[in-house]
PDB file of all heavy atoms in Angstrom:
ATOM      1  N   ASP Y 321      70.986 -16.422 -62.334  1.00  0.00           N
ATOM      2  CA  ASP Y 321      70.920 -17.648 -63.178  1.00  0.00           C
ATOM      3  C   ASP Y 321      69.993 -17.541 -64.294  1.00  0.00           C
ATOM      4  O   ASP Y 321      70.132 -18.225 -65.410  1.00  0.00           O
ATOM      5  CB  ASP Y 321      70.486 -18.771 -62.309  1.00  0.00           C
ATOM      6  CG  ASP Y 321      71.566 -19.168 -61.206  1.00  0.00           C
ATOM      7  OD1 ASP Y 321      72.719 -18.668 -61.359  1.00  0.00           O
ATOM      8  OD2 ASP Y 321      71.228 -19.653 -60.085  1.00  0.00           O
ATOM      9  N   PHE Y 322      69.008 -16.655 -64.290  1.00  0.00           N
ATOM     10  CA  PHE Y 322      68.015 -16.469 -65.309  1.00  0.00           C
ATOM     11  C   PHE Y 322      67.786 -15.039 -65.562  1.00  0.00           C
ATOM     12  O   PHE Y 322      66.745 -14.419 -65.270  1.00  0.00           O
ATOM     13  CB  PHE Y 322      66.641 -17.187 -64.849  1.00  0.00           C
ATOM     14  CG  PHE Y 322      66.711 -18.572 -64.549  1.00  0.00           C
ATOM     15  CD1 PHE Y 322      66.965 -19.091 -63.316  1.00  0.00           C
ATOM     16  CD2 PHE Y 322      66.526 -19.510 -65.558  1.00  0.00           C
ATOM     17  CE1 PHE Y 322      66.992 -20.422 -63.068  1.00  0.00           C
ATOM     18  CE2 PHE Y 322      66.554 -20.847 -65.398  1.00  0.00           C
ATOM     19  CZ  PHE Y 322      66.853 -21.356 -64.067  1.00  0.00           C
ATOM     20  N   PRO Y 323      68.814 -14.299 -66.122  1.00  0.00           N
ATOM     21  CA  PRO Y 323      68.763 -12.944 -66.231  1.00  0.00           C
ATOM     22  C   PRO Y 323      67.508 -12.439 -67.167  1.00  0.00           C
ATOM     23  O   PRO Y 323      67.364 -13.047 -68.275  1.00  0.00           O
ATOM     24  CB  PRO Y 323      70.048 -12.661 -66.966  1.00  0.00           C
ATOM     25  CG  PRO Y 323      70.546 -13.839 -67.488  1.00  0.00           C
ATOM     26  CD  PRO Y 323      70.013 -14.859 -66.636  1.00  0.00           C
ATOM     27  N   GLY Y 324      66.752 -11.531 -66.731  1.00  0.00           N
ATOM     28  CA  GLY Y 324      65.561 -11.046 -67.404  1.00  0.00           C
ATOM     29  C   GLY Y 324      64.370 -11.910 -67.504  1.00  0.00           C
ATOM     30  O   GLY Y 324      63.407 -11.563 -68.187  1.00  0.00           O
ATOM     31  N   LYS Y 325      64.451 -12.947 -66.806  1.00  0.00           N
ATOM     32  CA  LYS Y 325      63.393 -14.017 -66.883  1.00  0.00           C
ATOM     33  C   LYS Y 325      62.381 -13.738 -65.734  1.00  0.00           C
ATOM     34  O   LYS Y 325      62.652 -13.419 -64.654  1.00  0.00           O
ATOM     35  CB  LYS Y 325      63.770 -15.439 -66.806  1.00  0.00           C
ATOM     36  CG  LYS Y 325      64.867 -15.773 -67.837  1.00  0.00           C
ATOM     37  CD  LYS Y 325      64.102 -15.912 -69.198  1.00  0.00           C
ATOM     38  CE  LYS Y 325      65.107 -16.402 -70.401  1.00  0.00           C
ATOM     39  NZ  LYS Y 325      64.479 -16.437 -71.643  1.00  0.00           N
ATOM     40  N   SER Y 326      61.084 -14.009 -66.061  1.00  0.00           N
ATOM     41  CA  SER Y 326      60.014 -13.897 -65.080  1.00  0.00           C
ATOM     42  C   SER Y 326      59.899 -15.204 -64.385  1.00  0.00           C
ATOM     43  O   SER Y 326      60.474 -16.251 -64.831  1.00  0.00           O
ATOM     44  CB  SER Y 326      58.638 -13.498 -65.750  1.00  0.00           C
ATOM     45  OG  SER Y 326      58.247 -14.640 -66.533  1.00  0.00           O
ATOM     46  N   TRP Y 327      59.156 -15.314 -63.263  1.00  0.00           N
ATOM     47  CA  TRP Y 327      59.000 -16.606 -62.539  1.00  0.00           C
ATOM     48  C   TRP Y 327      58.207 -17.585 -63.493  1.00  0.00           C
ATOM     49  O   TRP Y 327      58.630 -18.749 -63.491  1.00  0.00           O
ATOM     50  CB  TRP Y 327      58.141 -16.321 -61.307  1.00  0.00           C
ATOM     51  CG  TRP Y 327      57.635 -17.603 -60.690  1.00  0.00           C
ATOM     52  CD1 TRP Y 327      56.351 -17.997 -60.562  1.00  0.00           C
ATOM     53  CD2 TRP Y 327      58.441 -18.787 -60.285  1.00  0.00           C
ATOM     54  NE1 TRP Y 327      56.235 -19.272 -60.025  1.00  0.00           N
ATOM     55  CE2 TRP Y 327      57.513 -19.794 -59.882  1.00  0.00           C
ATOM     56  CE3 TRP Y 327      59.780 -18.960 -60.089  1.00  0.00           C
ATOM     57  CZ2 TRP Y 327      57.889 -21.037 -59.384  1.00  0.00           C
ATOM     58  CZ3 TRP Y 327      60.158 -20.245 -59.625  1.00  0.00           C
ATOM     59  CH2 TRP Y 327      59.294 -21.206 -59.239  1.00  0.00           C
ATOM     60  N   THR Y 328      57.291 -17.161 -64.274  1.00  0.00           N
ATOM     61  CA  THR Y 328      56.670 -18.080 -65.233  1.00  0.00           C
ATOM     62  C   THR Y 328      57.579 -18.719 -66.087  1.00  0.00           C
ATOM     63  O   THR Y 328      57.563 -19.865 -66.423  1.00  0.00           O
ATOM     64  CB  THR Y 328      55.528 -17.242 -65.989  1.00  0.00           C
ATOM     65  OG1 THR Y 328      54.596 -16.539 -65.134  1.00  0.00           O
ATOM     66  CG2 THR Y 328      54.798 -18.297 -66.958  1.00  0.00           C
ATOM     67  N   GLU Y 329      58.613 -17.936 -66.585  1.00  0.00           N
ATOM     68  CA  GLU Y 329      59.601 -18.552 -67.546  1.00  0.00           C
ATOM     69  C   GLU Y 329      60.505 -19.480 -66.709  1.00  0.00           C
ATOM     70  O   GLU Y 329      60.914 -20.479 -67.283  1.00  0.00           O
ATOM     71  CB  GLU Y 329      60.336 -17.410 -68.147  1.00  0.00           C
ATOM     72  CG  GLU Y 329      59.564 -16.641 -69.181  1.00  0.00           C
ATOM     73  CD  GLU Y 329      60.103 -15.316 -69.565  1.00  0.00           C
ATOM     74  OE1 GLU Y 329      60.767 -14.568 -68.689  1.00  0.00           O
ATOM     75  OE2 GLU Y 329      60.173 -15.118 -70.804  1.00  0.00           O
ATOM     76  N   ILE Y 330      60.911 -19.102 -65.604  1.00  0.00           N
ATOM     77  CA  ILE Y 330      61.836 -19.928 -64.806  1.00  0.00           C
ATOM     78  C   ILE Y 330      61.124 -21.212 -64.371  1.00  0.00           C
ATOM     79  O   ILE Y 330      61.822 -22.403 -64.509  1.00  0.00           O
ATOM     80  CB  ILE Y 330      62.300 -19.170 -63.462  1.00  0.00           C
ATOM     81  CG1 ILE Y 330      63.019 -17.876 -63.855  1.00  0.00           C
ATOM     82  CG2 ILE Y 330      63.112 -20.031 -62.539  1.00  0.00           C
ATOM     83  CD1 ILE Y 330      63.403 -17.020 -62.676  1.00  0.00           C
ATOM     84  N   ARG Y 331      59.821 -21.120 -64.025  1.00  0.00           N
ATOM     85  CA  ARG Y 331      59.107 -22.308 -63.625  1.00  0.00           C
ATOM     86  C   ARG Y 331      59.000 -23.262 -64.824  1.00  0.00           C
ATOM     87  O   ARG Y 331      59.084 -24.380 -64.611  1.00  0.00           O
ATOM     88  CB  ARG Y 331      57.758 -21.876 -63.138  1.00  0.00           C
ATOM     89  CG  ARG Y 331      56.968 -22.973 -62.432  1.00  0.00           C
ATOM     90  CD  ARG Y 331      55.581 -22.457 -62.154  1.00  0.00           C
ATOM     91  NE  ARG Y 331      54.847 -23.407 -61.258  1.00  0.00           N
ATOM     92  CZ  ARG Y 331      54.271 -24.470 -61.569  1.00  0.00           C
ATOM     93  NH1 ARG Y 331      54.426 -24.988 -62.796  1.00  0.00           N
ATOM     94  NH2 ARG Y 331      53.606 -25.208 -60.641  1.00  0.00           N
ATOM     95  N   ALA Y 332      58.740 -22.712 -65.993  1.00  0.00           N
ATOM     96  CA  ALA Y 332      58.635 -23.569 -67.084  1.00  0.00           C
ATOM     97  C   ALA Y 332      59.803 -24.420 -67.357  1.00  0.00           C
ATOM     98  O   ALA Y 332      59.827 -25.484 -67.899  1.00  0.00           O
ATOM     99  CB  ALA Y 332      58.297 -22.767 -68.337  1.00  0.00           C
ATOM    100  N   ALA Y 333      61.062 -23.852 -67.089  1.00  0.00           N
ATOM    101  CA  ALA Y 333      62.340 -24.545 -67.342  1.00  0.00           C
ATOM    102  C   ALA Y 333      62.739 -25.436 -66.071  1.00  0.00           C
ATOM    103  O   ALA Y 333      63.640 -26.227 -66.372  1.00  0.00           O
ATOM    104  CB  ALA Y 333      63.402 -23.503 -67.566  1.00  0.00           C
ATOM    105  N   CYS Y 334      62.137 -25.285 -64.975  1.00  0.00           N
ATOM    106  CA  CYS Y 334      62.637 -26.059 -63.726  1.00  0.00           C
ATOM    107  C   CYS Y 334      61.540 -26.612 -63.079  1.00  0.00           C
ATOM    108  O   CYS Y 334      61.409 -26.467 -61.784  1.00  0.00           O
ATOM    109  CB  CYS Y 334      63.387 -25.099 -62.842  1.00  0.00           C
ATOM    110  SG  CYS Y 334      64.738 -24.101 -63.658  1.00  0.00           S
ATOM    111  N   VAL Y 335      60.568 -27.325 -63.636  1.00  0.00           N
ATOM    112  CA  VAL Y 335      59.355 -27.836 -63.001  1.00  0.00           C
ATOM    113  C   VAL Y 335      59.372 -29.256 -62.759  1.00  0.00           C
ATOM    114  O   VAL Y 335      58.346 -29.826 -62.479  1.00  0.00           O
ATOM    115  CB  VAL Y 335      58.109 -27.422 -63.759  1.00  0.00           C
ATOM    116  CG1 VAL Y 335      57.963 -25.925 -63.890  1.00  0.00           C
ATOM    117  CG2 VAL Y 335      58.206 -28.005 -65.223  1.00  0.00           C
ATOM    118  N   GLU Y 336      60.572 -29.876 -62.734  1.00  0.00           N
ATOM    119  CA  GLU Y 336      60.577 -31.360 -62.686  1.00  0.00           C
ATOM    120  C   GLU Y 336      59.799 -31.823 -61.401  1.00  0.00           C
ATOM    121  O   GLU Y 336      60.049 -31.489 -60.342  1.00  0.00           O
ATOM    122  CB  GLU Y 336      61.948 -31.890 -62.537  1.00  0.00           C
ATOM    123  CG  GLU Y 336      62.015 -33.360 -62.503  1.00  0.00           C
ATOM    124  CD  GLU Y 336      63.439 -33.950 -62.336  1.00  0.00           C
ATOM    125  OE1 GLU Y 336      64.035 -33.820 -61.273  1.00  0.00           O
ATOM    126  OE2 GLU Y 336      63.956 -34.526 -63.199  1.00  0.00           O
ATOM    127  N   GLY Y 337      58.712 -32.645 -61.607  1.00  0.00           N
ATOM    128  CA  GLY Y 337      57.972 -33.217 -60.581  1.00  0.00           C
ATOM    129  C   GLY Y 337      56.833 -32.294 -60.094  1.00  0.00           C
ATOM    130  O   GLY Y 337      55.956 -32.717 -59.332  1.00  0.00           O
TER     131      GLY Y 337
END
Side-chain angles (χ1 to χ4, degrees):
D321 296 337
F322 299 92
K325 300 293 186 182
S326 67
W327 166 244
T328 302
E329 294 169 309
I330 296 172
R331 192 186 193 282
C334 308
V335 294
E336 182 183 71

